[in-house]
Every structure is written in structure tokens, then in C-alpha cells.
Amino acid sequence: MLMPNLYGNIIGNIACGITGGPGMSSGMNLGDRHAVFETGTRNTGTSLKGQDVANPTAFIRAGIDMLRYLGCDKHADLISDALWKTIAVDLFHTKDIQGEKKASEIVDQTLRNITAIQRQQ
Amino acid sequence: MVASRFSGTFIRSLSTTGAARAQNNANVNQEMLRFRSVVTPAARKIPGRYGGRHTVTALAGDGIGPEMVEHVKSVFTLAHVPVDFEELNLNSSSIGAGENDLQEAITSIRRNGVALKGNVETKFDDPAFMSRNMELRRSLDLRANVLHCSTIPTIPSRHTGIDIIMIRENTEGEYSGQEHACVPGVVESLKIVTRERIEWISHFAFDYALRHNRKKITAVHKANIQKLGDGLFLKVVNDVAKLYPSIECDAMIVDNASMQLVSRPQQFDIMLMPNLYGNIISNIACGLVGGAGLVSGINIGNDYAVFETGTRNTGTSLVGKNLANPASFLRASADMCKYLGLSEQADMISDAVFRTLTEKLIHTPDIGGKHTTSDMIRSVQEFLIQDMERRSQ
């Protein structure tokens, strides 16, 4: 979907809403010379601060996007696959996606998955 | 002061009339009550009434509009609704004689006070062709667009428990039609926001909340970016909110509101929105409860009211196929009856449509079914006959 600014803002948020919410999607801001990576829906999540409950997926995926932009495809894939396994196979979900895991547990599990994948390679 | 226009003189509480009717009709349940029209009957005497009958303007428009108006007429005849239609042409093919058609329509609605309308397609490739619908709304000063989006049992939808009133500013904002290109390739568009109209729509929303026992109004805006335009909107809404301390009022930025609407729509009660955001968010909400074929829309101002479908589609691809969902048009006609003070007929029509959808499960393709428009109309007529027989006993 190709959209002007305002409609894109609204429609982007709708699409994020129906695919899991603000904690899941990442967003890229690209120009001819610079790139800035962030979460998809640009929320600050102020009410979740310091409680270890916020979903780190969106931010980690933003990091993955950044690695891909820098050309580090292997590392990007490694982290992306590990994160995917954490969420979709191990079913580690934070509160915003109806789970009970803490943010730190998601991260730790992803680190474990990274190590596991590296050992296989 | 605007507030005095709505206060006092006529507070019709929906719940008491509903309860009284419930005792008469053994089959009434909560869902069916919620499906009924939520229009407040008109406060003023409506001009087009003579000899106990109302004359209303019918603008069939493009696409399936003409077929739908015929269906409404047949249902009205059966239910003995004392309404006569003055049918006028207003559609996208009347370009040459365009201006005349529009003026005739406006004059007719001014004379009758009320209209039932299909959508007129706007050919957006010609900048000289002003949207007929928009012109109509502005000339008649139809300041509010109101939709009631609520979950209907048996209709496939993403969520349950939705019951939202969408109140949208209908005449200004991004739809002011003021655009210019100072330099080729660079276009400037003016979004007009006035204190007067925002005050009007805010009072409308809060008065509506009081009258229909609603608890919370959420104002949708983008004041973080449009600091003056939406800033004024937000300020005026908050100023008016102070006059209604019993109604809770909060604000949400439009992108967040959209996201919340698709993930947890049950949190919203009334949404109060400027023109463009209202357009988009109303359509999202309609989509959430089952689509364009089910929700009706009310355009209302101080003097006139125009009733139509909620999402203003022409349904051009369905013309002549007998597959379009007539529910939204029938509900629009029920809204119109309620506005005219024909409450019993309004409820009869709503209940017949509700039963057709939820008891007989007669669903047209847009809601995943295999039935035709005539199947639905036939069933509505059968339920109406049953209801009338029961009432006459």
C-alpha cells in the first residue's frame, strides 16, 4: 500500500493493530542518504516503563532491519530466526499479546535460540 | 446559546419506551433492542407533513440506490408507514444538467425537511466537478454524521461486544474543497476548522450522550501534528465537556484510535471526530461489525435530516444482480421513521431485519451467505406481517 503521509499514518496503525499490536512491528524511515529505524507505531509506552512487561519484539526487529540495511544479512537472519522461534514455536508471549512472559524472558530465550542456531551452523 | 436548543423540552428516554414495548413483544431480547434505530425524534415540527402523512425526498443516486428505494417503498406500503416519496434524480450521469438537479434536490429537501438518499458517485478525476454529496450536505447544513456500529449476532466479524456511536463533523475540515497550486507540482490544501461548528458538534454529541444514557465520549484528533487545526478542535471539545460533568470525555490520537479500534473496539462508547478522521474511523467500525451492507448513517443539522447507508458506497458492481444487502437501506428507512416520530413502525422494520439476519440466517454474499436481496426482502415482509398481526390482537 502506497500512501500519503496522514493516510499512511492511520492505515499503518490499523495494519499493525490487526497483526498483533504496537509491540510486534518495526518501522523504517528512509531517505537518499540516511536511515532511521524504530518501532512501527511510534508509541512511547510510558505506562509500561520499568516493569519488564513491554514487548521487545518491535525494537529487536528494528535492529534486525538496521543490520540488513548495513549489509549484515547473516546476522540479521540469525537474530530474526531466533526471535521467530521464541514467539511462534516456543510460544513466549508478553502481556500485550495475551501471554505472561516478561520482557527479559523473551530476550533470554532469544539469546538461547541464537546460541542453538549457531551451534547447528 | 446552542445548549438550550437541545435541552429540556424534549428528552425522550429510549429505555422507557423500549421497556414498555418489551412487555408487548415476547420475542424482544437485548440484541434486538440494540439493533433498533438510535435516532432522536425531531425536536421541531417537520415541514413536509400534511393530513397525517409525511412527504420525504428520495434521491436514489447511482448504483444500487434505485433498487433499494423500491424495496423501501414496498416495505413501507406493507407496514402502512404514512410516508410518500418525492423521487428525484441526482446522479453522476447528470453532468450537463448537473447544477439543476442539485438545486432541485436541495429545494425539495428544504420543502420536505427529510430525505432518504443513495450515494452519488463523485468523478474525482475532474476538479471542476464538485462532489454532489458534499454540496448537498453543505447547502442543507447537515453538520453531523452519525453511525451506530454494533455487533449483530450470527454476522461473521472479528470482534464481539461492539456498541459504538460515531459522531462525525460533516461539513468542514479537510472537506472544505479549498485547494490551489501556486506552482505546478506543488498543491496546497486548506483544512478549515471553526469554533462555531466544533461547538455545535460537541453539544450535539454530549446532548446525545445524555439522552441515550451513554457514558463516555472519546475525541479523536491529531493535535500533536496539526497543533492549530486539531488543537482548536480539542480545546473546544474540552470546553464543552466542562458543561456536562456527568459524561466522561477523553481524547485519543487518530493513529492510536485506529489501532485500538481494530484490536479492542469494546472500549469505545461514543467517538467524536472531525470530518476526515470520522470518515476513516466510521468505515473501520462498519467493517468490524460486518461491512457496508449493514450499517445506516444519519446526516443531521438544525433544520434538515438526510438518511443513507453508513459507508456511502454506490455498489455499482452489484447493480441488477439481486445480491446487494438491503439491510443498511432498510435501517436507514427505520432511522427516518424514528426521526419523523413513527417510532412503532421504525422498531417493526428494525426487528424484521434483525430477525431475518439472526433467526432465519438469510445472509447475502457480502456477509458470507448465499441468499439474494429478494430473499431478505421477502423475509422482512413476512416478519412485518407477523408483527402487525400480533400488535392488532
Side-chain angles (χ1 to χ4, degrees), chain B residues 48-328:
Chain B
R49 188 187 166 122
Y50 185 73
R53 293 185 69 80
H54 294 272
T55 305
V56 311
T57 308
L59 298 171
D62 292 314
I64 53 171
E67 298 166 32
M68 291 296 149
V69 171
E70 287 309 307
H71 289 312
V72 168
K73 278 159 70 180
S74 75
V75 166
F76 272 22
T77 308
L78 188 66
H80 305 304
V81 177
V83 164
D84 298 311
F85 286 99
E86 187 184 336
E87 292 179 61
L88 291 181
N89 268 336
L90 183 69
N91 50 48
S92 57
S93 68
S94 47
I95 293 185
E99 277 317 301
N100 283 343
D101 278 0
L102 184 63
Q103 280 315 309
E104 260 186 53
I106 292 172
T107 310
S108 167
I109 300 175
R110 285 216 174 103
R111 189 170 50 234
N112 296 324
V114 172
L116 182 67
K117 180 178 163 293
N119 202 40
V120 180
E121 205 178 314
T122 302
K123 310 275 194 218
F124 44 75
D125 49 354
D126 183 356
F129 190 86
M130 287 217 66
S131 161
R132 291 280 177 274
N133 306 304
M134 202 52 215
E135 273 301 298
L136 201 74
R137 273 169 234 140
R138 285 232 229 101
S139 305
L140 298 169
D141 210 20
L142 303 171
R143 298 190 181 194
N145 179 233
V146 184
L147 269 71
H148 180 211
C149 293
S150 65
T151 311
I152 305 166
T154 75
I155 306 293
S157 66
R158 231 170 193 279
H159 297 277
T160 54
I162 302 175
D163 189 355
I164 312 175
I165 302 284
M166 332 282 299
I167 297 180
R168 160 193 174 190
E169 204 289 320
N170 210 15
T171 50
E172 61 173 21
E174 300 83 349
Y175 288 60
S176 57
Q178 314 262 19
E179 299 181 301
H180 51 263
C182 302
V183 168
V186 179
V187 172
E188 284 181 349
S189 227
L190 288 180
K191 165 173 159 164
I192 314 283
V193 181
T194 60
R195 170 173 282 278
E196 192 216 328
R197 284 180 187 255
I198 304 300
E199 244 176 39
W200 193 98
I201 193 91
S202 303
H203 276 288
F204 180 88
F206 281 95
D207 283 328
Y208 186 96
L210 282 180
R211 194 161 294 160
H212 294 267
N213 292 322
R214 293 266 172 177
K215 304 283 180 294
K216 184 171 88 159
I217 294 186
T218 305
V220 177
H221 66 97
K222 188 99 184 135
N224 51 334
I225 302 293
Q226 303 194 5
K227 299 191 205 283
L228 287 184
D230 286 347
L232 178 61
F233 170 78
L234 211 53
K235 179 166 191 319
V236 173
V237 171
N238 284 328
D239 285 346
V240 172
K242 294 194 187 102
L243 302 172
Y244 300 80
S246 59
I247 307 287
E248 196 189 327
C249 180
D250 67 354
M252 210 181 259
I253 298 183
V254 61
D255 50 11
N256 192 23
S258 312
M259 187 161 62
Q260 297 289 332
L261 193 57
V262 296
S263 41
R264 205 167 56 89
Q266 299 81 0
Q267 63 184 290
F268 295 108
D269 188 0
I270 295 185
M271 294 179 87
L272 171 59
M273 305 165 288
N275 211 335
L276 181 65
Y277 311 148
N279 179 212
I280 297 172
I281 292 201
S282 296
N283 272 256
I284 301 170
C286 284
L288 288 178
V289 302
L294 294 171
V295 182
S296 58
I298 304 149
N299 300 281
I300 191 161
N302 284 327
D303 302 314
Y304 311 108
V306 173
F307 301 91
E308 57 180 358
T309 60
T311 51
R312 302 175 174 170
N313 302 80
T314 50
T316 318
S317 60
L318 298 168
V319 174
K321 292 189 183 149
N322 196 20
L323 289 174
N325 193 338
S328 51

Side-chain angles (χ1 to χ4, degrees), chain B residues 300-359:
Chain B
I300 191 161
N302 284 327
D303 302 314
Y304 311 108
V306 173
F307 301 91
E308 57 180 358
T309 60
T311 51
R312 302 175 174 170
N313 302 80
T314 50
T316 318
S317 60
L318 298 168
V319 174
K321 292 189 183 149
N322 196 20
L323 289 174
N325 193 338
S328 51
F329 247 87
L330 289 172
R331 295 181 83 184
S333 71
D335 292 337
M336 186 172 75
C337 287
K338 206 145 247 193
Y339 180 79
L340 294 172
L342 306 168
S343 223
E344 203 172 317
Q345 283 97 333
D347 288 340
M348 267 170 38
I349 296 174
S350 296
D351 293 350
V353 175
F354 182 83
R355 289 212 162 98
T356 300
L357 291 170
T358 61
E359 285 174 29

